[in-house]
Amino acid sequence: MNKPATALYRLPYTDSPIFIAQLQGEPQILTSLRELNGKKGFVIAPFRLTAASPAVLIRPDLIAKGWDQINEVMQRYPELKPGIVSCGNDSAELSEPVLRKAYGEAFGRFITPLRQGHFRKLVLSRSAAYPLPTEFSVINAFTHACKEYPRMMISLHSTPFTGTWMGSTPEIILSGHGHQWHCLLYT
């Protein structure tokens, strides 16, 4: 059996994290954000949805708010403790010179349309692989990120489909309450 899908997140300017877990079934794979209508949960989505990179919805079968409730859940359901889950899509490691060259080429493709005003914003990122120390704890890394970046949303999520990811962002892409929602879209 796969490890249950989970998400632990802390909203900007708050001290209280929220933990959700999907106890039954697999997270839902979404090829359109319209498929979210009427659904609740934690959404993992790329900037551009495609069949190869869909959005993933973790249904909140269990919700814990604040460290006291989260610790109670972890005691009751030890299988939900956040850990590293690989989705099996690891790419082959590339050498530093190959990575530098690829990044330089990508930067060249990005900077021209940005300077020409075709885009308001472009984000170019790269990945790096580092061996984790044996005492590494994703929970400790999460709490450290929360302390270091109080104005950012910090998230740690894990599904069999996506693997385990931790991130932070100062940007609010979607916000709202009830029937009033605001969406920031980059085209």
Side-chain angles (χ1 to χ4, degrees), residues 45-112:
F47 283 107
R48 178 165 295 179
L49 274 84
T50 66
S53 58
V56 176
L57 174 66
I58 301 173
R59 187 181 64 249
D61 295 336
L62 182 135
I63 301 172
K65 296 179 179 179
W67 285 116
D68 290 342
Q69 282 186 14
I70 292 169
N71 288 330
E72 285 177 28
V73 165
M74 298 302 155
Q75 299 257 337
R76 195 171 343 142
Y77 302 100
E79 70 275 14
L80 297 179
K81 285 185 180 174
I84 296 178
V85 173
S86 173
C87 63
N89 292 337
D90 299 329
S91 59
E93 286 191 37
L94 300 173
S95 69
E96 184 64 27
V98 170
L99 291 173
R100 273 191 195 280
K101 182 178 181 217
Y103 186 82
E105 290 169 356
F107 182 81
R109 288 189 305 272
F110 267 52
I111 197 66
T112 301

Coordinates of all heavy atoms in Angstrom, one line a residue, residues 45-112:
A45 N -0.3 22.2 -8.2 CA -0.5 22.5 -9.6 C 0.7 23.2 -10.2 O 1.3 24.1 -9.6 CB -1.7 23.4 -9.8
P46 N 1.0 22.8 -11.4 CA 2.1 23.5 -12.2 C 1.5 24.8 -12.7 O 0.3 25.0 -12.7 CB 2.4 22.6 -13.3 CG 1.1 21.8 -13.6 CD 0.5 21.7 -12.2
F47 N 2.4 25.7 -13.2 CA 1.9 27.0 -13.7 C 1.0 26.7 -15.0 O 0.1 27.4 -15.2 CB 3.1 27.9 -14.1 CG 3.6 28.6 -12.9 CD1 4.9 28.2 -12.4 CD2 2.9 29.6 -12.2 CE1 5.4 28.8 -11.3 CE2 3.5 30.2 -11.1 CZ 4.7 29.8 -10.7
R48 N 1.4 25.7 -15.7 CA 0.6 25.4 -16.9 C 0.2 23.9 -16.9 O 1.1 23.0 -16.9 CB 1.4 25.7 -18.2 CG 0.6 25.3 -19.4 CD 1.2 25.9 -20.7 NE 1.1 27.3 -20.5 CZ 1.5 28.2 -21.4 NH1 2.1 27.8 -22.5 NH2 1.3 29.5 -21.2
L49 N -1.0 23.6 -16.8 CA -1.5 22.2 -16.8 C -1.4 21.6 -18.1 O -1.8 22.2 -19.1 CB -2.9 22.1 -16.3 CG -3.1 22.1 -14.8 CD1 -3.1 23.5 -14.2 CD2 -4.4 21.4 -14.4
T50 N -0.9 20.3 -18.2 CA -0.9 19.5 -19.4 C -1.2 18.1 -19.0 O -1.2 17.8 -17.8 CB 0.5 19.6 -20.1 OG1 1.5 18.9 -19.2 CG2 0.9 21.0 -20.4
A51 N -1.3 17.2 -19.9 CA -1.6 15.8 -19.6 C -0.3 15.2 -18.9 O -0.5 14.4 -18.0 CB -1.9 15.0 -20.9
A52 N 0.8 15.7 -19.3 CA 2.1 15.2 -18.7 C 2.3 15.8 -17.3 O 3.0 15.2 -16.5 CB 3.3 15.5 -19.6
S53 N 1.8 17.0 -17.0 CA 2.0 17.6 -15.7 C 0.6 18.2 -15.2 O 0.4 19.4 -15.3 CB 3.0 18.7 -15.8 OG 2.7 19.7 -16.7
P54 N -0.2 17.3 -14.7 CA -1.6 17.7 -14.3 C -1.5 18.3 -12.9 O -0.5 18.2 -12.2 CB -2.3 16.4 -14.3 CG -1.3 15.4 -14.0 CD 0.0 15.9 -14.6
A55 N -2.6 18.8 -12.4 CA -2.8 19.2 -11.0 C -3.2 18.0 -10.2 O -3.7 17.0 -10.8 CB -3.8 20.3 -10.9
V56 N -2.9 18.0 -8.9 CA -3.2 16.9 -8.0 C -4.0 17.5 -6.8 O -3.6 18.5 -6.3 CB -1.9 16.2 -7.5 CG1 -2.3 15.1 -6.5 CG2 -1.2 15.6 -8.7
L57 N -5.1 16.9 -6.5 CA -5.9 17.3 -5.4 C -5.9 16.3 -4.3 O -6.3 15.1 -4.5 CB -7.4 17.5 -5.8 CG -8.4 17.8 -4.7 CD1 -8.1 19.2 -4.1 CD2 -9.8 17.8 -5.3
I58 N -5.4 16.7 -3.1 CA -5.4 15.8 -1.9 C -6.7 16.1 -1.2 O -6.9 17.2 -0.7 CB -4.2 16.1 -1.0 CG1 -2.9 15.9 -1.7 CG2 -4.3 15.2 0.3 CD1 -1.6 16.3 -1.0
R59 N -7.6 15.1 -1.1 CA -8.8 15.3 -0.4 C -8.6 15.3 1.1 O -7.9 14.4 1.7 CB -9.8 14.1 -0.8 CG -11.2 14.3 -0.3 CD -12.1 13.1 -0.6 NE -11.6 11.9 0.0 CZ -11.1 10.9 -0.7 NH1 -10.9 10.9 -2.0 NH2 -10.7 9.8 0.0
P60 N -9.2 16.2 1.9 CA -8.9 16.3 3.3 C -9.8 15.4 4.1 O -10.8 15.9 4.7 CB -9.2 17.8 3.6 CG -10.3 18.2 2.6 CD -10.0 17.4 1.4
D61 N -9.5 14.1 4.1 CA -10.3 13.2 5.0 C -10.0 13.5 6.5 O -10.9 13.2 7.3 CB -9.9 11.7 4.7 CG -10.2 11.3 3.3 OD1 -11.2 11.9 2.7 OD2 -9.6 10.4 2.8
L62 N -8.9 14.0 6.8 CA -8.5 14.3 8.1 C -7.8 15.7 8.1 O -7.0 16.0 7.3 CB -7.5 13.2 8.6 CG -7.1 13.4 10.1 CD1 -7.1 12.1 10.7 CD2 -5.7 14.0 10.1
I63 N -8.2 16.6 9.0 CA -7.7 17.9 9.2 C -7.3 18.1 10.6 O -8.0 17.9 11.5 CB -8.7 19.0 8.7 CG1 -9.1 18.8 7.3 CG2 -8.1 20.4 8.9 CD1 -10.3 19.7 6.9
A64 N -6.0 18.6 10.8 CA -5.6 19.0 12.1 C -5.0 20.4 12.0 O -4.2 20.7 11.1 CB -4.5 18.0 12.6
K65 N -5.4 21.3 13.0 CA -4.9 22.7 13.0 C -4.1 22.9 14.2 O -4.6 22.7 15.3 CB -6.1 23.6 12.9 CG -6.9 23.5 11.6 CD -8.1 24.4 11.5 CE -8.8 24.2 10.2 NZ -10.0 25.1 10.1
G66 N -2.9 23.5 14.0 CA -2.1 23.8 15.2 C -1.2 22.6 15.6 O -1.6 21.4 15.3
W67 N -0.1 22.9 16.2 CA 0.9 21.8 16.5 C 0.3 20.8 17.5 O 0.6 19.6 17.4 CB 2.2 22.3 17.0 CG 3.0 22.9 15.9 CD1 3.4 24.2 15.7 CD2 3.6 22.2 14.8 NE1 4.1 24.4 14.6 CE2 4.3 23.1 14.0 CE3 3.5 20.9 14.4 CZ2 4.9 22.8 12.8 CZ3 4.2 20.5 13.2 CH2 4.9 21.5 12.4
D68 N -0.6 21.2 18.4 CA -1.1 20.2 19.4 C -2.0 19.2 18.7 O -1.8 18.0 18.9 CB -1.9 21.0 20.5 CG -1.1 21.8 21.4 OD1 0.1 21.5 21.5 OD2 -1.6 22.7 22.1
Q69 N -2.9 19.6 17.8 CA -3.7 18.7 17.1 C -2.9 17.8 16.1 O -3.1 16.6 16.0 CB -4.8 19.4 16.3 CG -6.0 19.9 17.1 CD -7.1 20.5 16.2 OE1 -7.1 20.3 15.0 NE2 -8.0 21.2 16.8
I70 N -1.9 18.5 15.5 CA -1.1 17.7 14.5 C -0.3 16.6 15.3 O -0.2 15.5 14.8 CB -0.1 18.7 13.8 CG1 -0.9 19.6 12.8 CG2 1.0 17.9 13.0 CD1 -0.2 20.7 12.2
N71 N 0.3 17.0 16.4 CA 1.0 15.9 17.2 C 0.1 14.8 17.6 O 0.5 13.6 17.6 CB 1.7 16.6 18.4 CG 2.9 17.4 18.0 OD1 3.5 17.1 17.0 ND2 3.2 18.5 18.7
E72 N -1.2 15.1 18.0 CA -2.1 14.1 18.4 C -2.4 13.2 17.2 O -2.4 11.9 17.4 CB -3.5 14.7 18.8 CG -3.4 15.3 20.2 CD -4.8 16.0 20.6 OE1 -5.8 15.6 20.1 OE2 -4.7 16.9 21.4
V73 N -2.6 13.7 16.0 CA -2.8 12.9 14.8 C -1.6 12.0 14.5 O -1.8 10.8 14.2 CB -3.1 13.8 13.6 CG1 -3.0 13.1 12.3 CG2 -4.5 14.5 13.7
M74 N -0.4 12.6 14.7 CA 0.8 11.8 14.4 C 0.9 10.6 15.4 O 1.4 9.6 15.0 CB 2.1 12.7 14.5 CG 2.1 13.8 13.4 SD 2.0 13.2 11.8 CE 1.4 14.6 11.0
Q75 N 0.5 10.8 16.6 CA 0.5 9.8 17.6 C -0.5 8.7 17.3 O -0.2 7.5 17.4 CB 0.2 10.3 19.0 CG 1.2 11.4 19.5 CD 2.2 10.8 20.5 OE1 1.9 9.8 21.2 NE2 3.3 11.4 20.6
R76 N -1.7 9.1 16.8 CA -2.7 8.2 16.5 C -2.5 7.4 15.2 O -2.8 6.3 15.0 CB -4.1 8.9 16.5 CG -5.3 8.0 16.5 CD -6.6 8.6 16.7 NE -6.6 10.0 17.2 CZ -7.4 10.9 16.7 NH1 -8.3 10.7 15.8 NH2 -7.3 12.1 17.2
Y77 N -1.9 8.1 14.2 CA -1.7 7.6 12.9 C -0.2 7.8 12.5 O 0.1 8.6 11.7 CB -2.5 8.3 11.8 CG -4.0 8.3 12.0 CD1 -4.7 9.4 12.6 CD2 -4.8 7.2 11.7 CE1 -6.1 9.3 12.8 CE2 -6.1 7.1 11.9 CZ -6.8 8.2 12.4 OH -8.1 8.2 12.6
P78 N 0.7 7.0 13.1 CA 2.1 7.1 12.8 C 2.5 7.0 11.3 O 3.4 7.6 10.8 CB 2.8 6.0 13.6 CG 1.7 5.2 14.2 CD 0.4 5.9 14.0
E79 N 1.6 6.3 10.5 CA 1.9 6.2 9.1 C 1.7 7.5 8.3 O 2.1 7.7 7.2 CB 1.0 5.1 8.4 CG -0.5 5.5 8.4 CD -1.3 5.2 9.6 OE1 -0.7 4.9 10.7 OE2 -2.5 5.2 9.5
L80 N 1.1 8.5 9.0 CA 0.9 9.8 8.4 C 2.1 10.8 8.6 O 2.1 11.9 8.0 CB -0.4 10.5 8.9 CG -1.7 9.8 8.6 CD1 -2.9 10.5 9.1 CD2 -1.8 9.5 7.1
K81 N 3.0 10.4 9.5 CA 4.1 11.3 9.7 C 4.8 11.6 8.4 O 5.2 10.8 7.6 CB 5.1 10.6 10.7 CG 4.7 10.6 12.1 CD 5.7 10.1 13.0 CE 5.2 10.0 14.4 NZ 6.1 9.4 15.4
P82 N 5.0 12.9 8.2 CA 5.7 13.4 7.0 C 7.1 12.8 6.8 O 7.8 12.8 7.8 CB 5.7 14.9 7.1 CG 4.6 15.2 8.0 CD 4.5 14.1 9.0
G83 N 7.4 12.3 5.7 CA 8.7 11.7 5.4 C 8.9 11.9 3.9 O 8.1 12.4 3.2
I84 N 10.0 11.4 3.4 CA 10.3 11.6 2.0 C 9.7 10.4 1.2 O 10.0 9.3 1.6 CB 11.8 11.7 1.8 CG1 12.3 13.0 2.5 CG2 12.2 11.7 0.3 CD1 13.7 13.3 2.4
V85 N 8.9 10.7 0.2 CA 8.4 9.7 -0.6 C 8.8 10.0 -2.0 O 8.7 11.2 -2.5 CB 6.8 9.7 -0.6 CG1 6.2 8.8 -1.6 CG2 6.3 9.4 0.8
S86 N 9.4 9.1 -2.7 CA 9.8 9.3 -4.1 C 8.7 8.8 -5.0 O 8.0 7.8 -4.8 CB 11.1 8.5 -4.4 OG 11.4 8.6 -5.8
C87 N 8.5 9.5 -6.1 CA 7.5 9.1 -7.1 C 8.1 8.3 -8.2 O 7.4 7.9 -9.1 CB 6.7 10.3 -7.6 SG 7.8 11.4 -8.6
G88 N 9.4 8.1 -8.1 CA 10.0 7.2 -9.1 C 10.3 7.9 -10.4 O 10.7 7.3 -11.4
N89 N 10.2 9.3 -10.5 CA 10.5 10.0 -11.7 C 11.8 10.7 -11.6 O 12.0 11.7 -12.2 CB 9.4 11.1 -11.9 CG 8.1 10.4 -12.3 OD1 8.1 9.3 -12.7 ND2 7.0 11.1 -12.1
D90 N 12.7 10.2 -10.8 CA 14.0 10.9 -10.7 C 14.8 10.8 -12.0 O 14.9 9.8 -12.6 CB 14.9 10.2 -9.6 CG 14.2 10.2 -8.2 OD1 13.5 11.2 -7.9 OD2 14.4 9.3 -7.4
S91 N 15.3 12.0 -12.4 CA 16.0 12.1 -13.6 C 17.5 11.7 -13.3 O 17.9 11.8 -12.2 CB 15.9 13.5 -14.2 OG 16.4 14.4 -13.3
A92 N 18.2 11.3 -14.3 CA 19.6 11.0 -14.2 C 20.4 12.2 -13.8 O 20.1 13.3 -14.2 CB 20.1 10.4 -15.5
E93 N 21.3 12.0 -12.9 CA 22.1 13.2 -12.4 C 23.0 13.6 -13.6 O 23.6 12.8 -14.3 CB 23.0 12.8 -11.2 CG 22.2 12.7 -10.0 CD 23.1 12.6 -8.7 OE1 24.1 13.2 -8.7 OE2 22.7 11.8 -7.8
L94 N 23.1 15.0 -13.8 CA 23.9 15.6 -14.8 C 25.1 16.2 -14.1 O 25.0 16.7 -13.0 CB 23.1 16.6 -15.6 CG 21.9 16.0 -16.3 CD1 21.1 17.1 -17.0 CD2 22.3 15.0 -17.4
S95 N 26.2 16.4 -14.9 CA 27.4 17.0 -14.3 C 27.2 18.5 -14.2 O 26.3 19.1 -14.9 CB 28.6 16.7 -15.2 OG 28.4 17.4 -16.5
E96 N 27.9 19.2 -13.3 CA 27.8 20.6 -13.1 C 28.0 21.4 -14.4 O 27.3 22.3 -14.7 CB 28.8 21.0 -12.0 CG 28.7 22.5 -11.7 CD 27.3 22.9 -11.0 OE1 26.7 22.0 -10.4 OE2 27.0 24.1 -11.2
P97 N 29.0 21.1 -15.2 CA 29.2 21.8 -16.5 C 28.0 21.7 -17.4 O 27.6 22.7 -18.1 CB 30.4 21.2 -17.1 CG 31.2 20.6 -16.0 CD 30.2 20.2 -15.0
V98 N 27.4 20.5 -17.5 CA 26.2 20.3 -18.4 C 25.0 21.1 -17.8 O 24.3 21.8 -18.6 CB 25.8 18.8 -18.5 CG1 24.5 18.6 -19.1 CG2 26.9 18.0 -19.2
L99 N 24.9 21.1 -16.5 CA 23.8 21.9 -15.9 C 24.0 23.4 -16.1 O 23.0 24.1 -16.4 CB 23.7 21.6 -14.4 CG 23.2 20.2 -14.0 CD1 23.3 20.0 -12.5 CD2 21.8 20.0 -14.4
R100 N 25.2 23.9 -15.9 CA 25.5 25.3 -16.2 C 25.2 25.7 -17.6 O 24.6 26.8 -17.8 CB 27.0 25.6 -15.8 CG 27.2 25.9 -14.4 CD 28.6 26.5 -14.3 NE 29.0 26.4 -12.9 CZ 28.6 27.3 -12.0 NH1 27.9 28.3 -12.3 NH2 29.0 27.2 -10.7
K101 N 25.6 24.9 -18.5 CA 25.4 25.2 -19.9 C 23.9 25.3 -20.2 O 23.4 26.2 -20.9 CB 26.0 24.2 -20.8 CG 25.9 24.4 -22.3 CD 26.6 23.4 -23.2 CE 26.4 23.8 -24.6 NZ 26.3 22.7 -25.5
A102 N 23.1 24.3 -19.7 CA 21.7 24.2 -20.0 C 21.0 25.5 -19.3 O 20.1 26.1 -19.9 CB 21.1 23.0 -19.4
Y103 N 21.4 25.9 -18.1 CA 20.9 27.0 -17.5 C 21.2 28.3 -18.3 O 20.3 29.2 -18.4 CB 21.4 27.2 -16.0 CG 20.8 28.2 -15.2 CD1 19.5 28.0 -14.6 CD2 21.3 29.5 -15.1 CE1 18.9 29.0 -13.9 CE2 20.7 30.5 -14.4 CZ 19.5 30.3 -13.8 OH 18.9 31.2 -13.0
G104 N 22.4 28.4 -18.8 CA 22.8 29.6 -19.6 C 21.9 29.7 -20.8 O 21.5 30.8 -21.2
E105 N 21.7 28.5 -21.5 CA 20.9 28.5 -22.7 C 19.4 28.9 -22.4 O 18.8 29.7 -23.1 CB 20.9 27.2 -23.4 CG 22.3 26.9 -24.0 CD 22.4 25.4 -24.4 OE1 21.5 24.6 -24.2 OE2 23.5 25.1 -25.0
A106 N 18.9 28.4 -21.3 CA 17.5 28.7 -20.9 C 17.4 30.2 -20.5 O 16.5 30.9 -20.9 CB 17.1 27.9 -19.7
F107 N 18.5 30.8 -19.8 CA 18.5 32.2 -19.5 C 18.4 33.0 -20.7 O 17.7 34.0 -20.8 CB 19.7 32.5 -18.6 CG 19.7 34.0 -18.2 CD1 19.0 34.4 -17.1 CD2 20.5 34.9 -18.9 CE1 19.0 35.7 -16.7 CE2 20.5 36.2 -18.5 CZ 19.7 36.6 -17.5
G108 N 19.2 32.6 -21.7 CA 19.2 33.4 -23.0 C 17.9 33.4 -23.7 O 17.4 34.4 -24.2
R109 N 17.1 32.3 -23.6 CA 15.8 32.2 -24.2 C 14.8 33.1 -23.3 O 13.8 33.6 -23.9 CB 15.3 30.8 -24.3 CG 16.0 30.0 -25.3 CD 15.3 28.6 -25.5 NE 15.2 27.8 -24.3 CZ 16.1 27.0 -23.9 NH1 17.3 26.8 -24.5 NH2 15.9 26.3 -22.8
F110 N 15.0 33.2 -22.1 CA 14.1 33.9 -21.2 C 14.3 35.5 -21.3 O 13.4 36.2 -21.3 CB 14.4 33.5 -19.7 CG 13.5 32.4 -19.2 CD1 13.3 31.2 -19.9 CD2 12.8 32.5 -18.1 CE1 12.5 30.2 -19.5 CE2 11.9 31.5 -17.6 CZ 11.8 30.4 -18.3
I111 N 15.6 35.9 -21.3 CA 15.8 37.3 -21.1 C 15.4 38.2 -22.3 O 14.9 39.3 -22.1 CB 17.3 37.6 -20.8 CG1 17.6 39.0 -20.2 CG2 18.2 37.3 -22.0 CD1 16.9 39.2 -18.9
T112 N 15.5 37.7 -23.5 CA 15.1 38.4 -24.7 C 13.6 38.8 -24.7 O 13.2 40.0 -24.7 CB 15.5 37.7 -26.0 OG1 16.9 37.5 -26.0 CG2 15.1 38.5 -27.2

